Amino acid sequence: PVVPQLIIPIKTALNTRDPEIVCTTLKIMQALVLSGDMIGEALVPYYRQILPVFNIFKNKNFNVGDGIDYSQRKRQCLGDLIEETLQLFETHGGEDAFINIKYMIPVYESCRLS
């Protein structure tokens, strides 16, 4: 049960609201969820501590029109990273994951087909 010990550092990093730090933290959380079978489910009880910052940055996408957004290649677009992370949380978080995500982020739409 290492996951509870990681929540405070993750929450602290997200609460800096520094886009670069938040991006790095999101990538770390994605790697964490994918690193073991039950880790996604172990994170579900901590969504209320982690997800409020996601809500702030969820729509932080760049509208460059017909230009090229190089942050996509570097995976630094906050809105896209948050969406990816939420989808991983839902996919690996068990049956209660979607309900908990939806409670914290009302605009989130499931990545699973019903």
Side-chain angles (χ1 to χ4, degrees), residues 5-67:
Q5 296 171 359
L6 298 174
I7 299 305
I8 291 174
I10 287 171
K11 185 179 173 188
T12 304
L14 292 173
N15 282 335
T16 64
R17 299 183 185 185
D18 177 312
E20 196 173 324
I21 293 171
V22 172
C23 279
T24 303
T25 306
L26 289 169
K27 291 174 191 173
I28 290 168
M29 290 172 64
Q30 289 181 8
L32 179 67
V33 168
L34 294 172
S35 69
D37 290 340
M38 301 299 287
I39 295 175
E41 289 183 37
L43 281 172
V44 174
Y46 302 101
Y47 284 178
R48 288 181 186 220
Q49 295 172 20
I50 297 171
L51 297 184
V53 176
F54 283 39
N55 219 357
I56 296 166
F57 290 110
K58 178 133 175 46
N59 295 319
K60 207 72 157 163
N61 287 324
F62 302 108
N63 184 2
V64 291
D66 61 352

